[in-house]
């Protein structure tokens, strides 16, 4: 005993170390796979074309990114695989020993194997489809939760908490029902295979007794044979549950790979980059329909040209397609007919990433990211310049950022916050006012210093005084740039080099403010008079003065 105990202690220590290594490294391998899957999937999602996002729900995508990949990780993790491998080895070894002990008895056992095999195949197929359905239902539930929680202010203001709870609970119930079916299928499968296995065991017992009576085997052989039978039974149960796990993973992976392999229609990285960009923008007989609403024509042979360094103002009633012009220029979508040309080159031939780097946009609904004000303004820079700034100003706000904030008339309100440029803006910038968000978004666009600037209702949320200040800055900013201004207010568009009036998918009038004002039956004058709340003739008179 004195020698045995240290020996055993040594053996146990080695065993523990081996278990540690096995669990740790197999878990690590599984988690690595999940991390890689998530990275690749996110890369694929973020590179999809905008049309894809028009019809996808954020929550569903998030669900694939988190839950589906986790499910895959669980099934393909090293631990599952290693236990699958272990049970397969056990199964084969035990079966070989049984064959050695008594081929005749093994024959009785082997009879169940095809039954088990067919059962497992059918079960596997069910598990695969069902788990896919569970994941789809789950992603619907996530989509509801994401949207409703994201818009909690709207939910609260309509006092619809109960309605949302009911909606979510319905979605969760769908998941539950599917999971229940999955449970039912598993229970049926495992109970019937256990029954089949035990029946075979009884068969072995009966036949074994017969063989003993005939003196063909000894009682000892039968006993050990039975032990191995139980062993085989146990390992086949764990083999099939391993198979079920893998099938679940296959179900989830279908959804992940479907998304990962989706090739966007607009490839973000291939195409020309233009040397010495001048900035002539032209729409050449552009017709356009949104892919998600292809029966509605937005533009029908729309043509216009903006010379470098000049300002085009686009006016028109709500829904006439003003913001769509910006989306097309940024190549979020391709026109259904005609072409958009930059310095004589069709933008479909230009590298979209490069193209978008040349365009600064202040969009109608400026979106900020959770982070500080400084970070949000710095978002305007490309990667290289960003790194340059980070090296140059590791611990302070770059003076360029402050300069652009001043230009956007944002500096003073930023300085009035206790944390100044390090103020957190909250998710999507919720902790700022509409006008403040707008001014930060202007600063962000100015910092980018783009050749082409698009201002989509950029000052709509500002009061008259702030607007005037920002307007002055923008008037300075438009120098040496091609600018497209979308605006309703007369004060903003009046000084543009050209004003285009958009109606019914076409430009109905284009010219300078003076031109359009003096035309007979001018729709521009009509738009403006409605806005100013005065009659057409009054406006005509004011303009004459
Ligand atoms: N992503 C989209 N998918 C489908 N249809 C869209 C999409 N975005 C806009 N539309 C439709 O295209 C038309 C033009 O929209 P757009 O946003 O360009 O109008 P707008 O002139 O900017 O209006 P507003 O002055 O209200 O901002 C509208 O009828 C709108 O419903
Ligand atoms: Mg718009």
């Amino acid at each position: 005993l004195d020698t045995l105990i240290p020996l055993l202690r040594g053996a146990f220590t080695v065993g523990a170390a081996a278990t540690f290594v096995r669990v740790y490294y197999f878990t690590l391998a599984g988690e690595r796979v999940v991390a890689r899957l998530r990275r690749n999937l996110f890369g694929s999602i973020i590179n999809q074309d905008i049309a894809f996002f028009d019809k996808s729900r954020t929550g569903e995508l998030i669900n694939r990114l988190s839950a589906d990949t986790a499910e895959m990780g669980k099934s393909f993790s090293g631990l599952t695989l290693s236990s699958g491998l272990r049970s397969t080895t056990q199964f084969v070894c035990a079966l070989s020993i049984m064959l050695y002990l008594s081929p005749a008895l093994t024959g009785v056992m082997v009879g169940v194997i095809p039954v088990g095999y067919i059962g497992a195949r059918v079960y596997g197929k069910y598990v695969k489809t069902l788990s896919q359905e569970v994941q789809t239902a789950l992603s619907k539930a996530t989509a509801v939760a994401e949207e409703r929680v994201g818009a909690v202010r709207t939910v609260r203001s309509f006092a619809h908490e109960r309605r949302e709870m009911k909606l979510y609970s319905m979605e969760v119930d769908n998941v539950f029902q599917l999971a229940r079916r999955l449970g039912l299928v598993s229970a049926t499968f495992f109970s019937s295979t256990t029954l089949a296995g035990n029946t075979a065991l009884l068969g072995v017992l009966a036949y074994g007794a017969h063989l003993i009576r005939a003196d063909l085997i000894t009682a000892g052989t039968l006993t050990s044979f039975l032990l191995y039978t139980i062993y085989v039974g146990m390992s086949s149960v764990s083999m099939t549950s391993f198979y079920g796990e893998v099938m679940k993973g296959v179900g989830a992976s279908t959804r992940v790979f479907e998304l990962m392999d989706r090739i966007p229609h607009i490839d973000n990285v291939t195409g020309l980059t233009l040397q010495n960009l001048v900035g002539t923008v032209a729409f050449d007989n552009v017709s356009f329909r949104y892919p998600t609403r292809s029966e509605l024509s937005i533009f029908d042979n729309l043509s216009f040209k903006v010379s470098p360094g000049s300002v085009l103002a686009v006016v028109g009633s709500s829904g006439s397609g003003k913001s769509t012009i910006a989306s097309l220029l940024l190549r979020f979508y391709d026109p259904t007919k005609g072409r958009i040309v930059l310095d004589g080159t069709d933008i479909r031939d230009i590298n979209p990433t490069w193209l978008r780097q040349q365009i600064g946009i202040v969009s109608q609904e400026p979106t900020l990211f959770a982070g500080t004000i400084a970070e949000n303004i710095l978002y305007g820079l490309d990667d290289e310049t960003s790194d340059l700034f980070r090296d140059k100003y590791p611990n302070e706000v770059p003076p360029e950022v402050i300069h652009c904030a001043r230009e956007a008339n944002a500096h003073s309100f930023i300085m009035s916050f206790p944390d100044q440029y390090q103020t957190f803006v909250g998710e999507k910038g919720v902790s700022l006012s509409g006008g403040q968000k707008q001014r930060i978004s202007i600063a962000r666009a100015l910092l980018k210093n783009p050749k082409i600037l698009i201002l989509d209702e950029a000052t709509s949320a500002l009061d008259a005084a702030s607007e005037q200040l920002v307007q002055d800055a923008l008037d300075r900013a438009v120098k040496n740039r091609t600018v497209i201004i979308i605006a309703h207010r007369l004060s903003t568009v009046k000084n543009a080099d050209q004003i285009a009036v958009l109606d019914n998918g076409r430009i109905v009038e284009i010219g300078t403010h003076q031109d359009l004002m003096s035309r007979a039956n001018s729709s521009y004058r009509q738009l403006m008079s409605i806005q100013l709340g005065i009659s057409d003739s009054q406006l005509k008179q004011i303009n004459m003065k």
Side-chain angles (χ1 to χ4, degrees), residues 242-303:
F242 159 71
Y243 181 62
E245 270 302 309
V246 169
M247 277 317 187
K248 264 192 205 167
V250 171
S253 72
T254 317
R255 286 165 44 83
V256 168
F257 285 121
E258 172 193 84
L259 191 53
M260 212 184 293
D261 295 339
R262 191 177 189 282
I263 296 169
H265 296 296
I266 298 174
D267 174 0
N268 286 332
V269 289
T270 49
L272 306 171
T273 58
L274 308 182
Q275 303 296 321
N276 306 322
L277 179 68
V278 182
T280 319
V281 173
F283 275 51
D284 188 3
N285 283 312
V286 169
S287 299
F288 180 66
R289 288 153 194 269
Y290 276 100
T292 44
R293 205 179 290 154
S294 53
E295 63 287 347
L296 181 75
S297 162
I298 308 290
F299 297 136
D300 185 20
N301 286 322
L302 178 75
S303 296

Side-chain angles (χ1 to χ4, degrees), residues 20-89:
F20 174 85
V21 169
R22 183 176 73 95
V23 173
Y24 178 65
Y25 282 100
F26 278 126
T27 312
L28 199 67
E31 291 303 324
R32 257 204 200 115
V33 171
V34 175
R36 166 139 18 108
L37 272 174
R38 289 202 172 125
R39 268 195 290 267
N40 290 349
L41 187 60
F42 183 77
S44 170
I45 291 174
I46 205 84
N47 276 302
Q48 290 302 324
D49 29 50
I50 299 294
F52 170 79
F53 295 101
D54 285 347
K55 51 178 196 276
S56 313
R57 295 178 73 177
T58 313
E60 285 196 28
L61 300 176
I62 302 297
N63 195 71
R64 290 199 202 190
L65 211 49
S66 49
D68 289 11
T69 48
E71 184 69 43
M72 279 175 79
K74 213 165 66 191
S75 347
F76 301 125
S77 84
L79 276 183
T80 316
L81 290 183
S82 75
S83 71
L85 202 67
R86 204 178 45 198
S87 35
T88 314
T89 324

Side-chain angles (χ1 to χ4, degrees), residues 48-52 54 265-266 268 288 290-291 323-335 340 347 352 355-356 361 363:
Q48 290 302 324
D49 29 50
I50 299 294
F52 170 79
D54 285 347
H265 296 296
I266 298 174
N268 286 332
F288 180 66
Y290 276 100
S323 300
T324 307
I325 291 183
S327 301
L328 288 176
L329 193 55
L330 283 161
R331 208 161 165 234
F332 286 176
Y333 310 91
D334 278 332
I340 299 164
I347 60 168
L355 173 75
R356 291 165 195 147
I361 179 160
S363 57

